[in-house]
Amino acid sequence: MADVFRALSDPTRRAILDELSARDGQTLFELCGRLATNHDLTSSRQAVSQHLEVLQDVGLVRARRDGRYKIHHLDTAPLEPLVGRWLDRPAATRPTAAEDTGTSEEKGSGLRIALMSVLVDDQQKAVRFYTEVLGFRVKHDVPVGEARWITLVSPADPDGTELVLETSDLPAAEAYRDALVADGIPFTSFAVDDVDAEHRRLRALGVHFTQPPTVMGDTTTAVLDDTCGNLVQIHQWAPPAEPGPAPSPTP
């Protein structure tokens, strides 16, 4: 247990565990970005990698390889003896079912979408296109070694889901993205109020569309080239049909 305590004594390592607790299964690049964004810790990739090795040595982090990258997962098993030995409360002090505020179904899972990613071949070019053309705003732009942790938000929802402009230097990622483009499949989709109006606006800015506005059931979609290696869809949900007037009775 002494090794676990020593590992937890460092604030950067505690921040890493916080981030893995908030979103399990992250690469070194993702962790560096979240440490900079959420904790003002602008450590180098090498330094963060060394902290991860310490956490792996004591069993608090597990890593699996996916191509050229390691994906890191939180493992709380080494902390269970602490709970059992010092932190466990007597049964009489635990809340009963009647005292609880509700079932897990009533409370919900608590999960929410915080980040979504798009793979781009040039981060700076992607920033220009997604901000100057599509109209997103930069929320975070933090140097992380040779790359940057860049997130964008919609001006209509500045505290909502953030779009991460990720580098596509992983061979598996490039192959996946190229296969989507070859099959005409968009990498992601953004909602708009009026697809036709947005299509006209973007066409006037020189954006190339591979699919014009097309009605598909309750939605109208269009697909554009983001100039950074992806096809992106914009979509508009059709409003519910207004009920028509009741037919007049036949005389």
Side-chain angles (χ1 to χ4, degrees), residues 147-170:
R148 292 149 63 193
W149 175 258
I150 303 172
T151 70
L152 311 176
V153 291
S154 166
D157 190 12
D159 296 319
T161 303
E162 297 176 45
L163 177 67
V164 185
L165 300 180
E166 300 237 33
T167 57
S168 60
D169 55 355
L170 180 65

Side-chain angles (χ1 to χ4, degrees), residues 2-214:
D3 290 341
V4 175
F5 279 121
R6 279 194 292 269
L8 294 174
S9 67
D10 186 273
T12 299
R13 291 197 280 271
R14 292 198 300 272
I16 290 173
L17 296 179
D18 285 342
E19 290 306 322
L20 288 176
S21 176
R23 186 164 76 91
D24 201 20
Q26 297 189 53
T27 64
L28 174 61
F29 174 75
E30 290 173 315
L31 281 169
C32 289
R34 291 174 69 91
L35 289 173
T37 300
N38 299 333
H39 303 273
D40 291 327
L41 294 172
T42 55
S43 303
S44 67
R45 288 195 189 189
Q46 181 179 2
V48 175
S49 179
Q50 291 172 347
H51 284 304
L52 284 167
E53 288 178 5
V54 173
L55 293 171
Q56 285 179 248
D57 288 343
V58 299
L60 289 169
V61 169
R62 292 178 291 104
R64 61 178 176 83
R65 186 161 290 280
D66 185 358
R68 291 164 49 197
Y69 288 83
K70 278 186 178 180
I71 309 300
H72 300 88
H73 296 273
L74 177 66
D75 189 343
T76 59
L79 299 177
E80 291 175 4
L82 299 179
V83 177
R85 189 178 305 174
W86 293 294
L87 304 180
D88 199 19
R89 293 178 296 169
T93 65
R94 296 180 187 139
T96 64
E99 295 171 329
D100 201 354
T101 56
T103 65
S104 59
E105 290 80 11
E106 291 170 342
K107 293 177 181 177
S109 68
L111 298 177
R112 60 188 179 89
I113 300 173
L115 301 169
M116 61 173 286
S117 300
V118 61
L119 300 170
V120 298
D121 49 25
D122 184 319
Q123 285 186 304
Q124 189 55 41
K125 182 180 179 182
V127 169
R128 289 195 299 269
F129 181 83
Y130 279 81
T131 59
E132 297 175 10
V133 178
L134 295 188
F136 289 99
R137 291 179 183 171
V138 174
K139 184 161 187 177
H140 301 292
D141 187 347
V142 182
V144 183
E146 65 276 13
R148 292 149 63 193
W149 175 258
I150 303 172
T151 70
L152 311 176
V153 291
S154 166
D157 190 12
D159 296 319
T161 303
E162 297 176 45
L163 177 67
V164 185
L165 300 180
E166 300 237 33
T167 57
S168 60
D169 55 355
L170 180 65
E174 291 182 4
Y176 169 68
R177 189 184 64 168
D178 292 346
L180 290 180
V181 173
D183 289 341
I185 301 173
F187 193 95
T188 189
S189 184
F190 303 126
V192 294
D193 293 329
D194 188 330
V195 165
D196 291 313
E198 190 66 9
H199 176 254
R200 290 192 298 270
R201 183 186 77 83
L202 294 176
R203 283 285 303 274
L205 293 173
V207 175
H208 171 65
F209 278 80
T210 61
Q211 176 201 300
T214 304

